[in-house]
Amino acid sequence: MKIVNRRKMNDEGSHNIWRSYSDMMSGLLLLFVLIMAVCLMQAQKNYNDRLAEQATRLQTQDELDRTQEELQQRESEVEAQSLTLTDMQSALENQAAMLSTKESELDAAQITLSQSQETLTSAQKQLEEQRKQLEEQQTQLTNQQAQLTDQQTQLADQQNLLSQQESELEARDAALLSNQEKLDKQTKLMDEQQKKIDQIIGVKAELIEDLNQEFAENQINVNIDPQTGAIVLDSSVLFAFRESELTPEGEQILYEILPVYCEVLLSEQYADYVAEIIIDGYTDSQGDYLSNLELSQNRAFAVASYLHMISGAFLDPNSQKVLQEKLTANGRSESNLILDENGQEDRDASRRVEVKFRLKDDEMIQELSDVLAGNTVSVTE
């Protein structure tokens, strides 16, 4: 009986040991599972954080790229404006050089006048001295009757000389007076002409600047010639090949560009200065001259017709009438071809339509410059 009980106790003790060992292993396994779950959660969190950080970096890089592109575009605009200002400065420097040359010529004329005045003063002194001599001779006539014949002869000679000198002095006085009047008139004319030239150049520069600003404010990307204010439109966009009817895409482009361009030209500030709004059509050298002339004329007329059709949408009746008076359309055929860097015809660029303007005083600039260069007063020595 004791042996059975002892064996039973040994069996229960062994069973308890294995149960404890099993519980301990279960606990360790549970702990290991918990540790793995925590590690997996942490790894997932780190992976999500890295994905978010990478997305943020990509977004930041995109913003930096866009900012870089905007900076490059602004630098290009600043460089274009700098070139325009440089051209204007060169023109002003040329005008200043011309004025300096005229001032030098006026200084030389003034020196000649001063020399002539000194000669006149000297002659007047001589005349005064000769008159004094005559008075002395006339005083001596009473006491020198024997020498009367000789003295009268000498007196006659001296009187003739005095008359000749007086005539020469009078002629010089008249010439000096005439030259002085011419100098005064020329100086006044130069001042007036220079003011007109400055005004014309200033109006054209302001007009082109306002056109650029207006297109920029309307977010329309247009290249305006900084010297002439002309806009060049690609015919391949406006028309089909060898056709003169506007494409829908061409009408859309004209609807964006022409109203802005004409509103500035016909504004109260510039309307009185603008003599003509010009639409010129050009072709390449393919085909014969007359067919190209007809095609270019028809294309220019198509653009002018479209402008006339939509003018009521952005102009009042009075401005529409002014537009009709100033608008012209011309076909230029294959004249003024565009050449590439190798001197060869660029046919795509040659097929174009140009929209430009002419100021009323454009013709006067060359005339005024010719007057400034050729209206030099010749001073009589």
Side-chain angles (χ1 to χ4, degrees):
M1 189 69 176
K2 292 181 179 179
I3 294 173
V4 173
N5 290 333
R6 187 176 298 172
R7 184 177 294 174
K8 185 177 182 179
M9 290 175 63
N10 290 334
D11 292 337
E12 289 178 355
S14 176
H15 181 71
N16 290 333
I17 291 172
W18 281 107
R19 178 181 296 174
S20 299
Y21 177 78
S22 176
D23 292 338
M24 181 183 68
M25 294 302 292
S26 298
L28 289 174
L29 181 60
L30 179 61
L31 179 60
F32 177 77
V33 171
L34 290 175
I35 292 174
M36 290 295 294
V38 170
C39 290
L40 288 174
M41 292 176 63
Q42 185 64 35
Q44 183 65 34
K45 182 177 181 301
N46 292 337
Y47 178 75
N48 292 335
D49 291 341
R50 288 181 181 179
L51 288 178
E53 182 180 358
Q54 185 176 4
T56 302
R57 288 180 179 177
L58 290 175
Q59 182 178 2
T60 303
Q61 185 63 39
D62 291 340
E63 293 176 354
L64 288 174
D65 292 339
R66 287 195 297 271
T67 303
Q68 184 66 28
E69 291 176 356
E70 292 176 357
L71 288 175
Q72 291 176 353
Q73 183 177 1
R74 292 180 180 176
E75 288 177 356
S76 299
E77 294 175 354
V78 170
E79 290 176 358
Q81 293 177 356
S82 177
L83 290 175
T84 302
L85 292 175
T86 301
D87 293 340
M88 292 173 62
Q89 184 64 32
S90 297
L92 292 176
E93 289 175 356
N94 291 335
Q95 295 295 332
M98 292 176 62
L99 288 176
S100 177
T101 302
K102 295 300 179 182
E103 289 176 354
S104 298
E105 294 174 354
L106 289 175
D107 292 339
Q110 188 63 41
I111 292 173
T112 304
L113 287 174
S114 300
Q115 293 175 349
S116 299
Q117 186 65 37
E118 292 176 359
T119 303
L120 176 61
T121 303
S122 176
Q124 287 176 342
K125 290 181 179 180
Q126 293 178 1
L127 179 61
E128 187 66 23
E129 292 176 357
Q130 290 174 355
R131 286 176 178 174
K132 289 181 179 180
Q133 291 177 2
L134 284 175
E135 291 176 358
E136 292 176 357
Q137 290 173 358
Q138 288 175 353
T139 303
Q140 294 174 359
L141 283 177
T142 304
N143 299 323
Q144 297 177 351
Q145 291 296 328
Q147 300 176 356
L148 179 60
T149 303
D150 294 337
Q151 290 178 351
Q152 287 177 344
T153 302
Q154 294 177 359
L155 180 60
D157 293 339
Q158 290 176 350
Q159 286 177 341
N160 290 332
L161 180 60
L162 286 173
S163 298
Q164 184 179 357
Q165 290 178 344
E166 287 178 351
S167 297
E168 291 177 355
L169 288 174
E170 289 176 356
R172 289 184 179 182
D173 287 341
L176 288 173
L177 181 60
S178 176
N179 288 336
Q180 185 61 49
E181 291 177 352
K182 289 180 180 179
L183 285 173
D184 293 340
K185 289 181 180 179
Q186 186 179 15
T187 302
K188 182 178 180 181
L189 179 62
M190 288 173 61
D191 292 339
E192 293 175 352
Q193 291 169 347
Q194 186 60 46
K195 290 179 181 178
K196 288 182 179 180
I197 291 176
D198 293 340
Q199 183 182 12
I200 293 169
I201 295 175
V203 168
K204 193 167 190 177
E206 290 178 3
L207 177 52
I208 294 174
E209 182 180 356
D210 286 349
L211 283 172
N212 281 309
Q213 182 177 357
E214 193 67 23
F215 278 112
E217 290 178 355
N218 285 275
Q219 296 182 349
I220 300 175
N221 186 17
V222 174
N223 292 325
I224 300 178
D225 190 299
Q227 300 299 323
T228 64
I231 296 177
V232 178
L233 303 174
D234 189 350
S235 291
S236 63
V237 178
L238 301 180
F239 307 98
F241 185 70
R242 306 302 293 180
E243 297 293 334
S244 60
E245 182 178 353
L246 287 169
T247 64
E249 182 182 0
E251 290 182 351
Q252 180 62 33
I253 292 174
L254 294 178
Y255 190 80
E256 293 178 356
I257 294 176
L258 293 180
V260 177
Y261 195 79
C262 291
E263 282 180 339
V264 175
L265 292 179
L266 299 179
S267 64
E268 183 178 354
Q269 182 178 359
Y270 299 114
D272 292 337
Y273 291 99
V274 176
E276 190 176 10
I277 298 175
I278 306 166
I279 299 176
D280 285 341
Y282 295 88
T283 66
D284 57 23
S285 61
Q286 290 180 300
D288 63 86
Y289 175 82
L290 291 179
S291 62
N292 286 336
L293 180 62
E294 181 181 6
L295 177 62
S296 62
Q297 179 65 57
N298 290 338
R299 286 181 171 181
F301 182 76
V303 175
S305 298
Y306 183 76
L307 173 58
H308 182 267
M309 181 182 68
I310 66 173
S311 61
F314 60 90
L315 294 177
D316 57 50
N318 183 56
S319 296
Q320 285 183 273
K321 183 178 180 181
V322 174
L323 175 62
Q324 293 173 6
E325 295 173 353
K326 298 179 184 294
L327 181 63
T328 61
N330 310 292
R332 301 298 185 184
S333 188
E334 58 196 55
S335 62
N336 196 19
L337 295 173
I338 303 299
L339 305 180
D340 59 21
E341 58 184 10
N342 297 320
Q344 301 297 321
E345 176 188 356
D346 187 338
R347 291 180 176 176
D348 291 336
S350 296
R351 296 191 296 268
R352 66 196 186 279
V353 174
E354 293 186 2
V355 182
K356 53 191 175 182
F357 63 87
R358 178 177 61 83
L359 297 182
K360 291 181 179 178
D361 294 332
D362 274 351
E363 299 88 346
M364 295 176 58
I365 294 179
Q366 185 60 42
E367 296 179 4
L368 295 175
S369 299
D370 293 341
V371 171
L372 287 173
N375 251 5
T376 304
V377 176
S378 299
V379 180
T380 303
E381 295 183 354

